[in-house]
Amino acid sequence: MLTINPKYIIDDKGEKTAAVLTMKEYDFLIKCLEDLEDILEMDSVVETATNFRDYQEIRSDLQKEGKL
């Protein structure tokens, strides 16, 4: 886990208006968001899936087709 240490840009009222990250921190956060997006999509697919096949059946079919 990477520690995020943003630097803040503040306006003349002392309020934070933006955050600056290192490229390492930015890349880490983007990767985490992409992973989360994948997980949420997979959860959605699992919840709506209705036609499951047994692993051994799929493996057998792939072997017959010469793909394994």
Side-chain angles (χ1 to χ4, degrees):
M1 184 60 112
L2 179 69
T3 301
I4 306 297
N5 296 307
K7 308 292 186 270
Y8 297 103
I9 297 174
I10 56 172
D11 63 15
D12 49 344
K13 296 178 184 175
E15 296 180 13
K16 296 176 185 174
T17 60
V20 179
L21 304 173
T22 66
M23 285 308 298
K24 186 175 182 179
E25 293 168 335
Y26 173 80
D27 289 340
F28 175 76
L29 288 176
I30 293 299
K31 183 183 179 322
C32 287
L33 288 172
E34 289 171 348
D35 290 347
L36 178 59
E37 185 179 46
D38 291 345
I39 290 166
L40 293 173
E41 186 175 337
M42 183 62 83
D43 285 348
S44 174
V45 168
V46 168
E47 288 175 4
T48 59
T50 57
N51 189 14
F52 291 100
R53 291 177 56 201
D54 183 64
Y55 169 77
Q56 292 300 330
E57 178 186 343
I58 295 169
R59 183 174 174 81
S60 176
D61 289 347
L62 291 172
Q63 287 173 333
K64 287 176 188 174
E65 295 170 10
K67 295 181 179 176
L68 274 182

